[in-house]
Amino acid sequence: MVALLNEPQSPFELACAAEVFAGARPDLPAAYDFEVCTARPGRLRTTTGPSLFVEAGLEALERADTVIVPGWEPPGGPVPENALAALRAAHGRGARVVSICAGAFVLARAGLLAGRSAVTHWRRTAQLAAEFPEVDVVADVLYVDHGDVATSAGSGAGIDLCLHLVRTDHGTAYAAQVARSMVLPPHREGGQLQYAAGPALSGTDESLAPVLEWALTRLDHTDLSVDRLADRAGLSPRTFARRFVRQLGTSPGQWLLQQRIDAARALLERTDLPVETIAARVGLSSAVNLRRRFRTALGTTPGAYRRVFGEARAPGRNGGPASLP
């Protein structure tokens, strides 16, 4: 895995990728080799003052299975032609190409986003859409992943995308351990909003955290409905749904289904329980329902997922995505 840097480089966007993919974790096997490169190796100014020293040039992209562009300053600014050519060549031979924040402008300039949906920082969506009308710019989501190309919104959403890629490559349990070591929630869906659409909450009493924590301990209850969650929160279903979307950027029903699917993924990775038993434990009633929901959400079956991500499978180090049968 190689990050393509530019001057002046934002340390935060680089750190998002470096910490997720290369952070030292004594209790976890390393899953990626991570390095950085730039079009002109040597001293590289940053946006915050201290400089970086980058030894590798664009030749590093020739051996990368994943290329990350962690921001680009100024957004929409010039990109060396040899860097664009190197990105196209990496993508052409099968490397996954990823951008964080304004790095989407670089992917668009390289032609990798034509005819596709993409996201960048919400302040830059209009600029990206104006400069690259062939790109379907999505205004509010955290990240968009097409498999071979992925883009994230600004700053912190880059961490969400990186954790999503770890989950795709090495499974839910491994990604959850990475997130836990970073003191972060293990999963935010790419379709969640970049920022709260409504006004700021007036006080902590409006937080839905207690009812969410309560729900996560009762996923096996098939009567755990949105109405029951609303009742637990002491709200009408309509008020609860509005507050839920405002705080989490998704609907209560979608959130609940995603938690059940994530719980099923963890059980498939860590246990040999039959699919029927797993379905009951996560509140999806039957193996048939679990398979249907699983295929809709992940494009594969529980059995195929277990064969790829079962704990007997040790993470590789090439930074490339796992392939599901």
Side-chain angles (χ1 to χ4, degrees), residues 110-148:
L112 303 183
L113 299 180
R116 299 185 185 226
S117 56
V119 64
T120 187
H121 192 287
W122 59 270
R123 291 186 184 277
R124 298 291 178 179
T125 54
Q127 179 186 350
L128 183 64
E131 293 185 13
F132 302 98
E134 71 277 12
V135 179
D136 178 15
V137 180
V138 186
D140 292 332
V141 301
L142 294 177
Y143 56 82
V144 175
D145 182 14
H146 294 286
D148 61 324

Short mmCIF file of all heavy atoms in Angstrom, two decimals, residues 110-148:
data_model
loop_
_atom_site.label_atom_id
_atom_site.label_comp_id
_atom_site.label_asym_id
_atom_site.label_seq_id
_atom_site.Cartn_x
_atom_site.Cartn_y
_atom_site.Cartn_z
N ALA A 110 -7.29 12.19 -13.24
CA ALA A 110 -6.68 11.02 -13.87
C ALA A 110 -7.69 10.24 -14.71
O ALA A 110 -7.31 9.27 -15.39
CB ALA A 110 -6.09 10.11 -12.81
N GLY A 111 -8.97 10.64 -14.66
CA GLY A 111 -10.00 9.96 -15.45
C GLY A 111 -10.56 8.72 -14.78
O GLY A 111 -11.30 7.96 -15.43
N LEU A 112 -10.27 8.52 -13.52
CA LEU A 112 -10.70 7.29 -12.84
C LEU A 112 -12.11 7.38 -12.28
O LEU A 112 -12.66 6.38 -11.83
CB LEU A 112 -9.72 6.95 -11.71
CG LEU A 112 -8.26 6.77 -12.12
CD1 LEU A 112 -7.42 6.37 -10.91
CD2 LEU A 112 -8.13 5.75 -13.24
N LEU A 113 -12.71 8.57 -12.31
CA LEU A 113 -14.05 8.74 -11.76
C LEU A 113 -15.10 9.01 -12.82
O LEU A 113 -16.28 9.22 -12.50
CB LEU A 113 -14.07 9.89 -10.74
CG LEU A 113 -13.16 9.72 -9.51
CD1 LEU A 113 -13.28 10.94 -8.60
CD2 LEU A 113 -13.50 8.44 -8.75
N ALA A 114 -14.72 9.03 -14.07
CA ALA A 114 -15.67 9.33 -15.15
C ALA A 114 -16.81 8.33 -15.16
O ALA A 114 -16.59 7.11 -15.15
CB ALA A 114 -14.95 9.33 -16.49
N GLY A 115 -18.04 8.85 -15.14
CA GLY A 115 -19.22 7.98 -15.17
C GLY A 115 -19.51 7.30 -13.85
O GLY A 115 -20.35 6.39 -13.80
N ARG A 116 -18.83 7.71 -12.79
CA ARG A 116 -19.01 7.07 -11.49
C ARG A 116 -19.44 8.10 -10.44
O ARG A 116 -19.23 9.29 -10.60
CB ARG A 116 -17.71 6.43 -11.01
CG ARG A 116 -17.16 5.34 -11.90
CD ARG A 116 -15.94 4.75 -11.22
NE ARG A 116 -15.26 3.78 -12.04
CZ ARG A 116 -14.85 2.61 -11.59
NH1 ARG A 116 -15.06 2.26 -10.33
NH2 ARG A 116 -14.21 1.77 -12.38
N SER A 117 -20.01 7.59 -9.36
CA SER A 117 -20.30 8.46 -8.22
C SER A 117 -19.04 8.62 -7.38
O SER A 117 -18.19 7.73 -7.31
CB SER A 117 -21.43 7.87 -7.37
OG SER A 117 -21.12 6.55 -6.96
N ALA A 118 -18.91 9.77 -6.74
CA ALA A 118 -17.74 10.07 -5.91
C ALA A 118 -18.12 11.12 -4.89
O ALA A 118 -19.13 11.81 -5.02
CB ALA A 118 -16.57 10.56 -6.78
N VAL A 119 -17.26 11.25 -3.87
CA VAL A 119 -17.52 12.21 -2.81
C VAL A 119 -16.22 12.91 -2.43
O VAL A 119 -15.13 12.36 -2.61
CB VAL A 119 -18.15 11.50 -1.58
CG1 VAL A 119 -17.18 10.49 -0.97
CG2 VAL A 119 -18.62 12.49 -0.53
N THR A 120 -16.35 14.12 -1.93
CA THR A 120 -15.23 14.86 -1.37
C THR A 120 -15.76 15.66 -0.18
O THR A 120 -16.91 15.48 0.22
CB THR A 120 -14.58 15.77 -2.44
OG1 THR A 120 -13.39 16.35 -1.91
CG2 THR A 120 -15.53 16.87 -2.89
N HIS A 121 -14.95 16.51 0.38
CA HIS A 121 -15.42 17.35 1.49
C HIS A 121 -16.64 18.15 1.05
O HIS A 121 -16.69 18.64 -0.08
CB HIS A 121 -14.30 18.29 1.93
CG HIS A 121 -14.57 18.99 3.23
ND1 HIS A 121 -15.50 20.00 3.34
CD2 HIS A 121 -14.04 18.82 4.46
CE1 HIS A 121 -15.54 20.43 4.59
NE2 HIS A 121 -14.66 19.73 5.30
N TRP A 122 -17.61 18.29 1.94
CA TRP A 122 -18.87 18.93 1.54
C TRP A 122 -18.66 20.36 1.05
O TRP A 122 -19.44 20.86 0.25
CB TRP A 122 -19.89 18.89 2.68
CG TRP A 122 -19.49 19.56 3.96
CD1 TRP A 122 -18.84 19.00 5.01
CD2 TRP A 122 -19.73 20.93 4.33
NE1 TRP A 122 -18.65 19.93 6.02
CE2 TRP A 122 -19.19 21.12 5.63
CE3 TRP A 122 -20.35 22.00 3.69
CZ2 TRP A 122 -19.25 22.34 6.30
CZ3 TRP A 122 -20.41 23.23 4.37
CH2 TRP A 122 -19.88 23.38 5.64
N ARG A 123 -17.60 21.03 1.53
CA ARG A 123 -17.35 22.39 1.04
C ARG A 123 -16.86 22.41 -0.40
O ARG A 123 -16.87 23.46 -1.05
CB ARG A 123 -16.31 23.08 1.93
CG ARG A 123 -16.77 23.42 3.33
CD ARG A 123 -15.72 24.24 4.05
NE ARG A 123 -16.07 24.51 5.44
CZ ARG A 123 -16.86 25.49 5.84
NH1 ARG A 123 -17.39 26.31 4.95
NH2 ARG A 123 -17.13 25.66 7.12
N ARG A 124 -16.43 21.28 -0.91
CA ARG A 124 -15.82 21.22 -2.24
C ARG A 124 -16.66 20.46 -3.26
O ARG A 124 -16.22 20.26 -4.40
CB ARG A 124 -14.45 20.54 -2.14
CG ARG A 124 -13.45 21.30 -1.26
CD ARG A 124 -13.03 22.60 -1.90
NE ARG A 124 -12.12 23.37 -1.04
CZ ARG A 124 -11.61 24.54 -1.39
NH1 ARG A 124 -11.93 25.08 -2.55
NH2 ARG A 124 -10.78 25.17 -0.58
N THR A 125 -17.87 20.03 -2.87
CA THR A 125 -18.67 19.24 -3.81
C THR A 125 -19.06 20.04 -5.05
O THR A 125 -19.00 19.53 -6.17
CB THR A 125 -19.93 18.70 -3.12
OG1 THR A 125 -20.65 19.80 -2.52
CG2 THR A 125 -19.59 17.69 -2.05
N ALA A 126 -19.44 21.30 -4.87
CA ALA A 126 -19.83 22.11 -6.03
C ALA A 126 -18.64 22.33 -6.95
O ALA A 126 -18.78 22.28 -8.19
CB ALA A 126 -20.40 23.45 -5.56
N GLN A 127 -17.46 22.54 -6.38
CA GLN A 127 -16.27 22.74 -7.19
C GLN A 127 -15.92 21.48 -7.98
O GLN A 127 -15.61 21.54 -9.17
CB GLN A 127 -15.08 23.13 -6.30
CG GLN A 127 -13.77 23.34 -7.06
CD GLN A 127 -12.59 23.57 -6.14
OE1 GLN A 127 -12.75 23.77 -4.93
NE2 GLN A 127 -11.39 23.55 -6.70
N LEU A 128 -15.99 20.33 -7.32
CA LEU A 128 -15.68 19.07 -8.00
C LEU A 128 -16.67 18.81 -9.14
O LEU A 128 -16.28 18.41 -10.24
CB LEU A 128 -15.71 17.91 -7.00
CG LEU A 128 -15.33 16.53 -7.55
CD1 LEU A 128 -13.88 16.50 -8.03
CD2 LEU A 128 -15.54 15.45 -6.48
N ALA A 129 -17.95 19.07 -8.88
CA ALA A 129 -18.98 18.85 -9.90
C ALA A 129 -18.79 19.81 -11.07
O ALA A 129 -18.99 19.42 -12.24
CB ALA A 129 -20.36 19.03 -9.29
N ALA A 130 -18.40 21.05 -10.79
CA ALA A 130 -18.22 22.03 -11.87
C ALA A 130 -17.00 21.71 -12.72
O ALA A 130 -17.04 21.84 -13.94
CB ALA A 130 -18.10 23.43 -11.27
N GLU A 131 -15.92 21.29 -12.08
CA GLU A 131 -14.69 21.02 -12.82
C GLU A 131 -14.72 19.69 -13.55
O GLU A 131 -14.04 19.53 -14.58
CB GLU A 131 -13.49 21.06 -11.87
CG GLU A 131 -13.22 22.45 -11.29
CD GLU A 131 -11.96 22.49 -10.45
OE1 GLU A 131 -11.16 21.52 -10.50
OE2 GLU A 131 -11.76 23.49 -9.73
N PHE A 132 -15.51 18.75 -13.06
CA PHE A 132 -15.56 17.41 -13.66
C PHE A 132 -17.02 16.98 -13.82
O PHE A 132 -17.53 16.16 -13.06
CB PHE A 132 -14.78 16.41 -12.81
CG PHE A 132 -13.34 16.78 -12.61
CD1 PHE A 132 -12.93 17.43 -11.45
CD2 PHE A 132 -12.40 16.49 -13.59
CE1 PHE A 132 -11.60 17.79 -11.28
CE2 PHE A 132 -11.07 16.85 -13.42
CZ PHE A 132 -10.66 17.50 -12.27
N PRO A 133 -17.71 17.54 -14.81
CA PRO A 133 -19.14 17.23 -14.98
C PRO A 133 -19.40 15.76 -15.31
O PRO A 133 -20.55 15.30 -15.18
CB PRO A 133 -19.56 18.15 -16.15
CG PRO A 133 -18.28 18.51 -16.83
CD PRO A 133 -17.23 18.53 -15.78
N GLU A 134 -18.37 15.03 -15.72
CA GLU A 134 -18.55 13.61 -16.02
C GLU A 134 -18.62 12.76 -14.76
O GLU A 134 -18.92 11.55 -14.82
CB GLU A 134 -17.39 13.10 -16.91
CG GLU A 134 -16.04 12.99 -16.22
CD GLU A 134 -15.27 14.31 -16.16
OE1 GLU A 134 -15.88 15.38 -16.44
OE2 GLU A 134 -14.07 14.27 -15.85
N VAL A 135 -18.36 13.36 -13.60
CA VAL A 135 -18.40 12.65 -12.33
C VAL A 135 -19.73 12.92 -11.63
O VAL A 135 -20.19 14.07 -11.57
CB VAL A 135 -17.23 13.08 -11.41
CG1 VAL A 135 -17.30 12.35 -10.07
CG2 VAL A 135 -15.89 12.83 -12.08
N ASP A 136 -20.35 11.88 -11.11
CA ASP A 136 -21.60 12.01 -10.34
C ASP A 136 -21.21 12.31 -8.89
O ASP A 136 -20.94 11.40 -8.11
CB ASP A 136 -22.41 10.72 -10.43
CG ASP A 136 -23.69 10.77 -9.61
OD1 ASP A 136 -24.10 11.88 -9.20
OD2 ASP A 136 -24.27 9.70 -9.35
N VAL A 137 -21.16 13.59 -8.53
CA VAL A 137 -20.70 14.00 -7.21
C VAL A 137 -21.85 13.88 -6.21
O VAL A 137 -22.90 14.50 -6.38
CB VAL A 137 -20.15 15.43 -7.23
CG1 VAL A 137 -19.68 15.84 -5.83
CG2 VAL A 137 -19.01 15.54 -8.23
N VAL A 138 -21.64 13.08 -5.17
CA VAL A 138 -22.64 12.87 -4.13
C VAL A 138 -22.33 13.86 -3.00
O VAL A 138 -21.20 13.93 -2.52
CB VAL A 138 -22.60 11.43 -3.60
CG1 VAL A 138 -23.74 11.19 -2.61
CG2 VAL A 138 -22.67 10.44 -4.76
N ALA A 139 -23.33 14.59 -2.57
CA ALA A 139 -23.06 15.72 -1.69
C ALA A 139 -22.78 15.35 -0.24
O ALA A 139 -21.92 15.94 0.40
CB ALA A 139 -24.23 16.70 -1.75
N ASP A 140 -23.50 14.39 0.33
CA ASP A 140 -23.53 14.28 1.79
C ASP A 140 -22.95 13.01 2.40
O ASP A 140 -22.82 12.93 3.61
CB ASP A 140 -24.97 14.41 2.29
CG ASP A 140 -25.52 15.81 2.07
OD1 ASP A 140 -24.72 16.75 2.06
OD2 ASP A 140 -26.74 15.95 1.91
N VAL A 141 -22.64 11.99 1.62
CA VAL A 141 -22.26 10.71 2.22
C VAL A 141 -20.82 10.72 2.71
O VAL A 141 -20.02 11.60 2.37
CB VAL A 141 -22.48 9.56 1.23
CG1 VAL A 141 -23.93 9.49 0.78
CG2 VAL A 141 -21.54 9.69 0.02
N LEU A 142 -20.47 9.74 3.53
CA LEU A 142 -19.12 9.65 4.10
C LEU A 142 -18.11 9.12 3.09
O LEU A 142 -16.97 9.60 3.02
CB LEU A 142 -19.12 8.75 5.33
CG LEU A 142 -19.90 9.26 6.54
CD1 LEU A 142 -19.87 8.21 7.66
CD2 LEU A 142 -19.33 10.58 7.04
N TYR A 143 -18.49 8.10 2.35
CA TYR A 143 -17.57 7.53 1.35
C TYR A 143 -18.34 6.74 0.32
O TYR A 143 -19.49 6.34 0.53
CB TYR A 143 -16.49 6.66 2.01
CG TYR A 143 -17.00 5.51 2.86
CD1 TYR A 143 -17.40 4.30 2.32
CD2 TYR A 143 -17.06 5.64 4.26
CE1 TYR A 143 -17.84 3.26 3.11
CE2 TYR A 143 -17.50 4.62 5.07
CZ TYR A 143 -17.89 3.41 4.48
OH TYR A 143 -18.34 2.39 5.28
N VAL A 144 -17.70 6.53 -0.82
CA VAL A 144 -18.25 5.74 -1.92
C VAL A 144 -17.17 4.75 -2.34
O VAL A 144 -16.04 5.13 -2.63
CB VAL A 144 -18.65 6.62 -3.12
CG1 VAL A 144 -19.11 5.75 -4.29
CG2 VAL A 144 -19.74 7.61 -2.73
N ASP A 145 -17.52 3.47 -2.39
CA ASP A 145 -16.56 2.43 -2.75
C ASP A 145 -17.07 1.64 -3.94
O ASP A 145 -18.12 1.00 -3.86
CB ASP A 145 -16.33 1.50 -1.56
CG ASP A 145 -15.30 0.40 -1.87
OD1 ASP A 145 -14.58 0.53 -2.88
OD2 ASP A 145 -15.21 -0.56 -1.09
N HIS A 146 -16.33 1.70 -5.05
CA HIS A 146 -16.68 0.94 -6.24
C HIS A 146 -15.86 -0.35 -6.36
O HIS A 146 -15.97 -1.06 -7.36
CB HIS A 146 -16.46 1.79 -7.49
CG HIS A 146 -17.38 2.96 -7.59
ND1 HIS A 146 -18.72 2.85 -7.92
CD2 HIS A 146 -17.17 4.29 -7.38
CE1 HIS A 146 -19.28 4.05 -7.93
NE2 HIS A 146 -18.37 4.94 -7.60
N GLY A 147 -15.06 -0.64 -5.37
CA GLY A 147 -14.21 -1.82 -5.42
C GLY A 147 -12.81 -1.50 -5.91
O GLY A 147 -11.84 -1.64 -5.18
N ASP A 148 -12.71 -1.04 -7.14
CA ASP A 148 -11.40 -0.67 -7.69
C ASP A 148 -11.04 0.78 -7.41
O ASP A 148 -9.86 1.16 -7.43
CB ASP A 148 -11.35 -0.93 -9.19
CG ASP A 148 -12.38 -0.11 -9.95
OD1 ASP A 148 -13.50 0.10 -9.43
OD2 ASP A 148 -12.09 0.32 -11.08
#
